[in-house]
Amino acid sequence: MSETLTQPEVALPASFRDPAGFMFLRDGTLYRQVNQVGRADYDLLMNSGLYDELTGRGWLVLHEEVGLAAALPDVAYKVLRPEPVTFISYPYEWAFGQLKDAALLTLEVQLLAMEFGMCLKDASAYNVQFRDGKPLLIDTLSFEAYEEGRPWVAYRQFCQHFLAPLALMAKTDIRLNQLLKAYIDGVPLDLASKLLPWKTRWQLGLGMHIHLHASTQRAHSATDGKRAKRTVRVSRLGLTGLVQGLRGLVTKLAWEPGGTEWAEYYQATNYTDAAFEHKRRLVAGYLAAVKPVGVWDLGANTGVFSRLAAEAGSATVAFDIDPAAVEINYRRIKSEGERRLLPLLLDLTNPSPALGWDGSERDSLQRRGPVDCSMALALIHHIAISNNVPLPRAAAFLAGLCRHLIIEFVPKSDSQVQRLLSARADVFPDYHRAGFEAAFSLHFDIERAEEVPGSQRTLYLMRSKVAH
């Protein structure tokens, strides 16, 4: 028997734009309501064999239909319970390879859908998440019946969400993926056209799908709606050719990591081999004591210590500011088939904010926590000295992110800190072990503190005092 609602529920902030349905939470479980307006397309997805084919390939999230009272029963058709995704990430947090793989998945799904008489009506990068090291389409209601002669309605969205940022990252500067943070509906094609090298105008793929596409948009905008719309018809063969052409173009876009300060960090570390191995054992021991379900490694570099958590069974997110390090990490995950590790881009001094309509469509980093355990190894000196963040503020921020913290204190006498101080005045009188412990004791209970033999560093295990 369906349960009775005690109070009305509404769509989650990230799931309100599609009239076909929305996501909602009940008792901590995520559900999807399919509305009557999306009934025909949902039934076609399920009955045509497309759902079985997509989920069998691991391209679309699995779900089950449940006999649960709908959140908005007056417009409801069905309620689904999708398989959960451990951590929700966003395109501006992805490495180049992740955005490229998400783009290729979207195109493969579109091509397969056409074989079953359907099309993607959305090609939003936000419809893709990463699970078990691979991209996964999570929007079950992105499909609609294919109509012969109709152009692909998601073409412009694909170009803005995927092609434009990938081209900018590959051809101009890898950091331009951050434009996706400024433009939540994708990089405007006229902006991409201006930022790309001039020679790309004469390259067949980018010339057509970005530069000419941008010019066409400007021309249509200039008419101010006064010119009658032309009915453009595209055959099934033509549409297939368009998507296959996009697939070939995306496949050829490439960026090679390297040349950044942190990509070769572990080759330049001041740890001896013995000290590094002892640090590994200490971190593994702290993780074993906490037994976290989830771990965030803040400043993970290429994921050496993140893998200790993942190998122990924790769902682990490896954050780093360096796009080369994150790319290297992602490539290793792909090559070795790792399933519990998700590498993401993050500037901890300017973390992902809440974005979108009402400032709530995309969650901030903080709203996606707290996590059972965070690791901050070889990080605090960069926060405090490179970025002038006082230790008490750093402690308060980290206490809000996690229940346990594994953190490494690096003293001024350490060669890495000396390198930071060589280019600036030492205005950090409280940056010493006693000052560190005093600042962090305001927000954490210090459970363990062990010096790393062969180094001047100390590794701590702490428990947050914040009521999460």
Side-chain angles (χ1 to χ4, degrees), residues 304-381:
V304 170
F305 290 93
S306 309
R307 284 176 170 81
L308 293 179
E311 289 164 4
S314 301
T316 305
V317 185
F319 295 103
D320 202 86
I321 193 174
D322 187 345
V326 179
E327 180 73 17
I328 291 168
N329 197 357
Y330 179 63
R331 292 186 182 188
R332 179 176 173 183
I333 287 168
K334 289 181 62 178
S335 67
E336 299 187 9
E338 296 173 324
R339 297 168 60 90
R340 294 192 182 93
L341 190 57
L342 173 64
L344 293 176
L345 281 164
L346 177 73
D347 179 354
L348 201 61
T349 64
N350 184 28
S352 300
L355 293 173
W357 178 254
D358 197 28
S360 60
E361 267 190 277
R362 313 296 171 217
D363 281 341
S364 66
L365 174 70
Q366 293 91 322
R367 284 201 337 216
R368 285 175 278 174
V371 69
D372 288 341
C373 182
S374 284
M375 298 195 297
L377 307 175
L379 180 68
I380 192 63
H381 53 302

Side-chain angles (χ1 to χ4, degrees), residues 128-163:
V128 178
Q129 289 298 319
F130 282 82
R131 191 175 68 183
D132 297 336
K134 299 176 182 178
L136 176 75
L137 184 68
I138 62 167
D139 189 359
T140 308
L141 301 183
S142 284
F143 300 90
E144 65 180 4
Y146 169 71
E147 181 182 333
E148 181 67 39
R150 187 184 183 194
W152 187 26
V153 294
Y155 169 55
R156 183 178 74 172
Q157 189 176 47
F158 178 86
C159 291
Q160 293 181 169
H161 279 238
F162 290 111
L163 183 58

Side-chain angles (χ1 to χ4, degrees), residues 40-63:
D41 288 329
Y42 173 76
D43 284 346
L44 181 57
L45 170 68
M46 300 305 296
N47 297 330
S48 65
L50 177 57
Y51 170 83
D52 291 333
E53 188 66 29
L54 287 169
T55 55
R57 298 187 186 198
W59 291 359
L60 176 66
V61 67
L62 284 161
H63 72 257

Side-chain angles (χ1 to χ4, degrees), residues 40-273:
D41 288 329
Y42 173 76
D43 284 346
L44 181 57
L45 170 68
M46 300 305 296
N47 297 330
S48 65
L50 177 57
Y51 170 83
D52 291 333
E53 188 66 29
L54 287 169
T55 55
R57 298 187 186 198
W59 291 359
L60 176 66
V61 67
L62 284 161
H63 72 257
E64 62 174 327
E65 298 179 0
V66 293
L68 193 75
L72 295 176
D74 290 345
V75 296
Y77 173 50
K78 287 183 182 293
V79 175
L80 317 178
R81 181 168 59 221
E83 282 192 346
V85 174
T86 303
F87 185 84
I88 298 297
S89 61
Y90 303 124
Y92 43 83
E93 298 171 333
W94 296 346
F96 177 85
Q98 289 171 300
L99 185 61
K100 179 176 177 176
D101 286 348
L104 292 172
L105 172 70
T106 302
L107 295 172
E108 294 292 357
V109 169
Q110 166 65 11
L111 289 169
L112 184 63
M114 291 182 63
E115 296 179 17
F116 289 82
M118 301 201 79
C119 259
L120 281 175
K121 64 181 181 182
D122 299 306
S124 168
Y126 296 98
N127 287 346
V128 178
Q129 289 298 319
F130 282 82
R131 191 175 68 183
D132 297 336
K134 299 176 182 178
L136 176 75
L137 184 68
I138 62 167
D139 189 359
T140 308
L141 301 183
S142 284
F143 300 90
E144 65 180 4
Y146 169 71
E147 181 182 333
E148 181 67 39
R150 187 184 183 194
W152 187 26
V153 294
Y155 169 55
R156 183 178 74 172
Q157 189 176 47
F158 178 86
C159 291
Q160 293 181 169
H161 279 238
F162 290 111
L163 183 58
L166 283 170
L168 289 169
M169 293 165 77
K171 303 290 186 180
T172 304
D173 194 297
I174 190 63
R175 295 168 293 182
L176 288 177
N177 71 320
Q178 293 305 296
L179 286 173
L180 289 167
K181 195 182 295 182
Y183 297 98
I184 196 171
D185 290 323
V187 177
L189 297 184
D190 63 327
L191 177 59
S193 179
K194 291 176 182 177
L195 294 175
L196 283 169
W198 184 260
K199 63 182 180 180
T200 60
R201 285 161 173 78
W202 316 118
Q203 295 174 2
L204 181 60
L206 294 179
M208 179 174 72
H209 296 298
I210 291 185
H211 297 294
L212 182 59
H213 197 166
S215 297
T216 303
Q217 283 184 320
R218 285 194 295 269
H220 286 177
S221 176
T223 65
D224 197 25
K226 295 177 182 178
R227 186 167 59 190
K229 291 183 179 180
R230 292 186 301 140
T231 301
V232 178
R233 295 187 61 80
V234 179
S235 68
R236 177 186 291 268
L237 183 62
L239 180 53
T240 300
L242 172 74
V243 179
Q244 289 175 337
L246 286 168
R247 181 178 62 185
L249 176 57
V250 170
T251 299
K252 290 178 182 177
L253 290 173
W255 176 75
E256 286 303 318
T260 61
E261 182 178 6
W262 303 111
E264 293 84 27
Y265 173 77
Y266 289 117
Q267 283 70 50
T269 182
N270 58 3
Y271 271 112
T272 64
D273 291 345

Side-chain angles (χ1 to χ4, degrees), residues 18-59:
D18 188 355
F22 57 88
M23 308 295 296
F24 67 95
L25 275 173
R26 184 176 299 163
D27 298 328
T29 300
L30 187 66
Y31 298 96
R32 183 187 298 277
Q33 175 170 315
V34 183
N35 292 334
Q36 287 290 344
V37 70
R39 177 175 185 164
D41 288 329
Y42 173 76
D43 284 346
L44 181 57
L45 170 68
M46 300 305 296
N47 297 330
S48 65
L50 177 57
Y51 170 83
D52 291 333
E53 188 66 29
L54 287 169
T55 55
R57 298 187 186 198
W59 291 359

